[in-house]
Amino acid sequence: ILICIKFIKNMIKSIKELKELKKLTPTEEIIYYRDIPRENATPAESVYLYKQIKNKLESNDIGKIFSATLLDFSLKNIIEFKVDNEKSRKEKITIRLINKNPDEILKNEDEMVIFRFLVVAFGGKEEITIKELEKYIKNSSSEIISLQDKINRETELSLQKANLIDKEQQNEYDVILTSRIFYTSAALLVPIIGIISEYMLIGGIPFVILSVINLILLSAQLRKINVYTQEGIDESEKWKGLKKYMEEFSMLDKREVPEVVIWEKFMVYATAFGIADKVLKQLKIVYPDLENTININDYSYMYLMMNTDFSRSFTNAINTSMSAANSSATGGG
């Protein structure tokens, strides 16, 4: 009875909070956005803001962010991609580390997390093939899970510092999420005990009903709570506009399409959003001679992306690694 009274009080509190919540909307509705919303935004931050993530990045996001960050490292001259034309395309790509202390270049900790992971993967060598890096990732499940946690934590902190995420609201969201897990457990616990004792089942019916009601209210709060500030919501709208522009730019006036060299930076975010292949197809439409004129020396990784499946390789490797980690955790009970 005492627990049910507590549940009723929590239910009333949730109803009041739900009424007070007013979901923030963008100051301006944007269809296409032709610039990078924030020049120093990392691939992880762009995905966080585009998807308005409140909890954590998914494993599939991590693979895309990892690939996009490597492309960004190439633009910043931290690493370089080498192509051996004498070997088959799948085996010829090598990553060379050319800056071992990029602290002055990499201002965001989520990038440093990926850089440190990369240094460990190199194992003291100057160069590593993409195949070797993929193999390392697939065999390093615990390190990949740790990488995911660190990227989530550092990206969230970075966005809080930039006043794009409201720290107090984020903490409130985490509290509500934990409460929802509690009520889910509570709702399932009584029927399980009821198998053992029918008296417990009869007495627990109000307990279960109140748990389910609280669950519904908390779920509504999670959807409506404003983890992002107004500034964060506005930037999120710009990232959505940029993604839409990158997906459809070949249908627009050619005068609105930037120079090829600018697309190198755009491709970092296209890779993070998982639309790199689609963007490359459109670039070939807008610039018919692109494949014939572009080379690895002039356009860094544009050649690489047009001639390999680079944008998917690390995503597949990371997903495989995480699946192995999850299987191991489930097996261990």
Side-chain angles (χ1 to χ4, degrees), residues 179-198:
S179 298
R180 193 174 70 163
I181 294 168
F182 166 76
Y183 283 113
T184 303
S185 303
L188 293 171
L189 183 63
V190 172
I192 291 169
I193 296 175
I195 297 170
I196 302 168
S197 168
E198 62 185 61

Side-chain angles (χ1 to χ4, degrees), residues 20-32:
E20 291 171 3
L21 281 174
K22 291 182 180 178
K23 193 166 181 65
L24 293 175
T25 55
T27 306
E28 178 187 359
E29 188 178 343
I30 296 170
I31 299 175
Y32 295 116

Side-chain angles (χ1 to χ4, degrees), residues 242-249 251 275 278-279 282:
L242 177 62
K243 181 175 181 284
K244 188 172 178 63
Y245 172 70
M246 289 193 293
E247 288 177 314
E248 301 176 5
F249 72 90
M251 296 184 289
I275 58 170
K278 188 182 288 187
V279 172
Q282 292 190 87

